[in-house]
Amino acid sequence: MFNIQEELKKLPDHPGVYLMHDAGDAIIYIGKAISLRNRVRQYFQSSRNKGPKIEKMVTHIARFEYILTDSELEALVLECNLIKEHRPKYNTMLKDDKTYPYIKVTLGENYPRVLFSRQMKKDKSRYYGPYTSAGAVRDTIELIRKLYQLRSCNRVLPRDTGKERPCLNYHIHQCTGPCQGYISQEEYRERVRQAMEFLNGKYTAVMQELETQMTQAAAELDFEKAAEIRDLLNSVKQIAQKQKITDFDGEDRDIIALAMNDRDAVVQVFFVRQGKLIGREHFHVTIGAEDTPREVMSTFIRQYYAGTPFIPREIMLQMEIDDADIIGRWLSSRRGQKCTLRVPKKGSREKLVELAAQNAQMVLTQDRERIRREEGRTIGAVKEIAALLGIGYVRRMEAYDISNTNGFESVGSMVVYEKGKPCRSDYRRFKLRTVIGPDDYASMREVLTRRFTHGMEERQKNHIRDLGDEYGSFTRFPDLILMDGGKGQVNIALAVLDELGLDIPVCGMVKDDHHRTRGLYYNNVEIPIDTHSEGFRLITRIQDEAHRFAIEYHRSLRSKEQVHSVLDDIPLIGPERRKALMREFQSLEAIRDADVEALKAVPSMNERAAVSVYAFFHPQVERAKDI
């Protein structure tokens, strides 16, 4: 079960995107954060004024998850992609792709241009971004034009070469004049290549040159020029946060990375569709001590893509794998088109694989902590109980409870816990056959007798001595029996076991006046238990589960239209007399203990009806009279 307060403690102080889920596991809100720890916690702080919309959203949160990114800027772009993919109920919806700007290099032209664009289309152009600052994008485009003197006009070249005079940009040395044939196509393309390298992140030299120019302008007291260069330099630094979250070619691809330790492995898969990271999934993989990362990755790819209907054009991997050629051909045949396995070595795609690996490591670390806490709640709690009772070994525990309504349809329940966890396949229900009326002791005797007699018969039938997990729940006897009560219930269980020749420890779960567990009854002694311990919490869970299971069965047996009473089975007692008896005596126990005269005094009752009720609850007296 997802514990929100516990999960809040594990949030990293790291940029990323968080996804809120409701009880039906639907995503109801997606947000970004420069610090996941600080941002997500704010939703669950009562002192925060969150506004009515968010207040309502928080009441529906059943769990949350998050994806780590390398910067707040990446988190912002990923948030945008995920919102468009999942359209959460409580998010303000974005309508199109015009939210963030791109830098577009028109490689489909003979003399390419560097342009500002609000859309990324699947054409021959190369797109960089998206970015969050339109101003920074425009400044960077201006800088590129100044550095590499690339054209910005919309003339069709070389068709329009020499038809008009060169524009002002040529005269101020921000264009090489390809419209006049002043530069060859090869030389112009080389300038475009250098500009693209700058956009790909190789801007250290440019930044150093700008810093030198700014320092020199300041030294010459040309502060206006220095300020202009400073603004350009800041634009370059801002644009340097080049995004990995959106790719350039608009293709579908999966990014796969793993993290592993000596026992477990987690594989993280990022899903890129039409060039945008739209989601992720992680998978737990059972490994052996001798398994290598390459083997684990290869095995995962074969198993995962054997069961998924969609095969992307490209799968980017964290490492080279064995049989890559064969697996690639197999994937291509399943896709019906070429599917490429690739290990990126540089650039944004390598960074995206690193990000997937980082998220896989986070899941592995947190799951290890979760498993450790879970072991404390289960195996650790069982050890606490065993130590408290002085029992050497406890693996399997069985708990029993009885449920009825006014003696009607008495039922018993048996719940089973192994290593501190419910083993629901071994739960059993008992519809009582021999007990009439609300007699919990007699009911428990019947349930236990039937349970262990059946188990012993199965053992004898199958010649079972040392029991394994392959045998049924009845043949596998518990290491400890837990009774929902104190001395009386424990003694009933011990009597049944003694009659059957079985030696199994029996412990009672004793409740206080408020029906809360206060201790354990074992070997004729009530043993107090620390109410803050994991052992106490496990006892409480078992007790509640046994009660729930019995009540659930009992409800399934009785009609919604009426609540049957044992009084309905007594001759001469109809609905009116039944109601009169219950009004007068308040309980079946009081009716059972009343004599004939007291019963006859009830309104609507006569002597024959009173004798019938008395005889029903005291059949041994009637038999003695006959004798």
Side-chain angles (χ1 to χ4, degrees):
M1 184 176 180
F2 191 90
N3 187 317
I4 289 180
Q5 295 303 319
E6 286 296 322
E7 295 300 323
L8 288 175
K9 298 176 183 177
K10 300 189 298 183
L11 285 165
D13 185 17
H14 199 283
V17 173
Y18 54 91
L19 299 88
M20 303 297 193
H21 295 254
D22 64 11
D25 211 34
I27 297 174
I28 59 175
Y29 188 78
I30 297 173
K32 66 173 179 64
I34 190 171
S35 170
L36 288 165
R37 177 185 302 167
N38 297 338
R39 184 71 185 96
V40 177
R41 283 179 174 181
Q42 291 176 1
Y43 289 97
F44 304 95
Q45 294 173 354
S46 57
S47 59
R48 291 275 178 176
N49 183 13
K50 298 182 277 288
K53 180 179 178 181
I54 298 300
E55 288 279 3
K56 184 177 180 181
M57 182 268 291
V58 170
T59 63
H60 294 290
I61 297 175
R63 72 176 184 93
F64 60 81
E65 61 174 324
Y66 48 90
I67 303 174
L68 301 181
T69 61
D70 283 341
S71 69
E72 185 186 16
L73 197 60
E74 288 186 355
L76 190 151
V77 177
L78 178 56
E79 175 199 32
C80 177
N81 292 344
L82 293 177
I83 287 174
K84 290 176 182 177
E85 177 68 19
H86 297 287
R87 305 187 68 82
K89 178 179 179 180
Y90 290 97
N91 278 98
T92 300
M93 299 308 301
L94 303 173
K95 295 186 180 300
D96 53 38
D97 288 336
K98 296 182 180 179
T99 309
Y100 304 113
Y102 296 85
I103 294 176
K104 176 180 180 180
V105 182
T106 59
L107 294 180
E109 298 177 337
N110 292 314
Y111 292 87
R113 296 170 294 165
V114 179
L115 304 175
F116 179 98
S117 176
R118 286 284 187 180
Q119 292 181 327
M120 186 173 70
K121 298 180 180 179
K122 195 170 182 180
D123 52 20
K124 294 182 180 180
S125 299
R126 179 71 58 86
Y127 291 86
Y128 296 84
Y131 304 102
T132 55
S133 171
V137 170
R138 289 189 173 93
D139 287 345
T140 303
I141 292 173
E142 181 183 352
L143 174 63
I144 288 173
R145 289 171 180 168
K146 288 180 179 179
L147 291 174
Y148 303 106
Q149 299 182 18
L150 302 178
R151 73 186 185 100
S152 60
C153 64
N154 56 5
R155 297 178 184 179
V156 179
L157 302 178
R159 186 194 69 186
D160 296 337
T161 301
K163 290 185 178 181
E164 297 182 21
R165 291 182 298 175
C167 65
L168 179 63
N169 285 337
Y170 171 76
H171 295 291
I172 62 174
H173 306 293
Q174 290 191 17
C175 180
T176 52
C179 62
Q180 302 301 314
Y182 295 156
I183 183 172
S184 67
Q185 186 172 339
E186 291 74 17
E187 185 179 352
Y188 187 89
R189 283 274 182 174
E190 175 59 25
R191 289 174 179 264
V192 172
R193 186 192 65 79
Q194 293 174 9
M196 291 171 60
E197 285 190 355
F198 171 80
L199 291 173
N200 275 323
K202 298 180 180 179
Y203 31 69
T204 303
V206 173
M207 292 173 65
Q208 290 174 348
E209 176 63 24
L210 288 173
E211 288 176 352
T212 301
Q213 292 179 13
M214 181 178 64
T215 303
Q216 183 177 349
E220 295 173 354
L221 304 182
D222 190 350
F223 298 115
E224 184 176 348
K225 183 178 180 181
E228 181 183 348
I229 298 172
R230 179 204 61 198
D231 293 341
L232 284 174
L233 182 60
N234 288 337
S235 294
V236 174
K237 289 180 179 179
Q238 190 168 356
I239 215 73
Q241 296 188 57
K242 185 169 62 69
Q243 298 308 303
K244 303 182 294 295
I245 300 305
T246 297
D247 210 344
F248 306 144
D249 56 11
E251 290 290 349
D252 297 332
R253 56 173 52 90
D254 290 349
I255 295 95
I256 304 178
L258 68 81
M260 57 187 290
N261 54 32
D262 55 342
R263 294 186 303 172
D264 303 294
V266 171
V267 179
Q268 185 84 41
V269 183
F270 280 177
F271 306 108
V272 176
R273 300 296 179 259
Q274 296 182 350
K276 296 179 181 179
L277 177 59
I278 63 167
R280 60 89 186 258
E281 187 66 78
H282 66 264
F283 302 87
H284 292 270
V285 181
T286 303
I287 62 172
E290 70 285 355
D291 289 339
T292 66
R294 290 166 63 105
E295 292 171 339
V296 174
M297 181 71 80
S298 177
T299 301
F300 171 80
I301 290 172
R302 293 195 300 270
Q303 293 182 2
Y304 175 71
Y305 288 106
T308 183
F310 181 78
I311 309 294
R313 184 185 67 84
E314 182 178 75
I315 300 173
M316 297 196 306
L317 304 177
Q318 182 185 18
M319 64 197 71
E320 299 288 349
I321 61 171
D322 300 328
D323 301 326
D325 291 340
I326 297 174
I327 293 175
R329 292 199 298 270
W330 169 65
L331 291 172
S332 297
S333 66
R334 290 208 65 223
R335 183 172 184 263
Q337 293 179 321
K338 178 70 172 177
C339 176
T340 304
L341 298 176
R342 181 169 297 162
V343 181
K345 301 296 185 182
K346 61 181 181 179
S348 62
R349 293 172 185 174
E350 181 194 22
K351 296 295 184 183
L352 193 53
V353 172
E354 290 177 0
L355 190 63
Q358 186 180 3
N359 278 268
Q361 184 61 52
M362 176 196 68
V363 173
L364 181 65
T365 302
Q366 291 188 351
D367 279 8
R368 199 166 192 175
E369 293 175 358
R370 177 184 57 78
I371 291 169
R372 179 178 54 79
R373 289 197 305 274
E374 183 67 20
E375 287 179 348
R377 293 178 67 250
T378 55
I379 297 175
V382 173
K383 290 180 179 178
E384 282 184 24
I385 296 170
L388 192 66
L389 301 178
I391 302 174
Y393 174 80
V394 174
R395 181 180 186 274
R396 179 184 175 98
M397 296 185 291
E398 293 181 2
Y400 297 85
D401 193 18
I402 302 296
S403 177
N404 63 71
T405 301
N406 290 340
F408 169 67
E409 293 286 17
S410 292
V411 300
S413 69
M414 171 183 118
V415 300
V416 181
Y417 276 63
E418 291 194 350
K419 296 183 179 180
K421 295 182 180 180
C423 183
R424 292 185 173 84
S425 61
D426 284 2
Y427 284 16
R428 291 295 182 272
R429 292 167 169 146
F430 302 84
K431 187 174 181 181
L432 297 183
R433 303 167 181 167
T434 63
V435 179
I436 299 175
D439 189 336
D440 284 355
Y441 287 169
S443 298
M444 188 60 71
R445 173 181 288 276
E446 178 184 330
V447 168
L448 293 172
T449 300
R450 286 168 56 187
R451 182 265 181 269
F452 287 104
T453 299
H454 183 82
M456 293 174 68
E457 290 173 351
E458 287 294 317
R459 284 187 171 203
Q460 186 176 11
K461 177 181 177 182
N462 295 292
H463 306 287
I464 302 171
R465 290 186 179 181
D466 298 323
L467 300 178
D469 290 342
E470 67 272 16
Y471 293 104
S473 62
F474 274 15
T475 57
R476 299 170 60 207
F477 288 176
D479 304 303
L480 177 65
I481 296 174
L482 296 170
M483 306 300 297
D484 187 33
K487 182 178 180 179
Q489 292 279 20
V490 169
N491 287 338
I492 288 293
L494 290 174
V496 170
L497 295 174
D498 185 60
E499 291 171 5
L500 299 175
L502 298 174
D503 183 16
I504 301 173
V506 181
C507 174
M509 299 178 285
V510 186
K511 298 178 181 178
D512 60 19
D513 294 337
H514 302 286
H515 207 68
R516 294 176 300 199
T517 304
R518 75 177 186 218
L520 302 176
Y521 185 82
Y522 183 67
N523 284 345
N524 296 316
V525 177
E526 184 176 323
I527 304 172
I529 184 170
D530 181 6
T531 56
H532 300 290
S533 68
E534 291 294 349
F536 173 81
R537 294 188 180 98
L538 177 59
I539 289 292
T540 302
R541 290 197 298 273
I542 294 174
Q543 199 168 32
D544 291 344
E545 180 70 352
H547 186 61
R548 178 200 67 78
F549 193 57
I551 289 292
E552 181 183 272
Y553 182 40
H554 186 262
R555 285 173 179 167
S556 69
L557 292 178
R558 68 178 194 249
S559 167
K560 293 181 180 179
E561 289 75 28
Q562 69 177 61
V563 178
H564 192 82
S565 168
V566 69
L567 297 177
D568 293 328
D569 298 328
I570 303 176
L572 304 180
I573 302 300
E576 292 300 323
R577 284 175 173 169
R578 182 190 65 177
K579 293 176 183 177
L581 286 168
M582 290 303 297
R583 278 196 298 267
E584 180 71 23
F585 293 102
Q586 301 296 316
S587 69
L588 277 177
E589 288 79 4
I591 297 173
R592 182 176 55 194
D593 295 339
D595 57 20
V596 172
E597 292 300 320
L599 293 168
K600 188 169 62 174
V602 175
S604 78
M605 292 286 289
N606 56 31
E607 184 170 0
R608 287 183 63 216
V611 170
S612 179
V613 172
Y614 187 83
F616 181 84
F617 286 108
H618 304 85
Q620 67 278 8
V621 175
E622 294 304 309
R623 285 196 296 270
K625 286 181 180 179
D626 293 339
I627 295 172

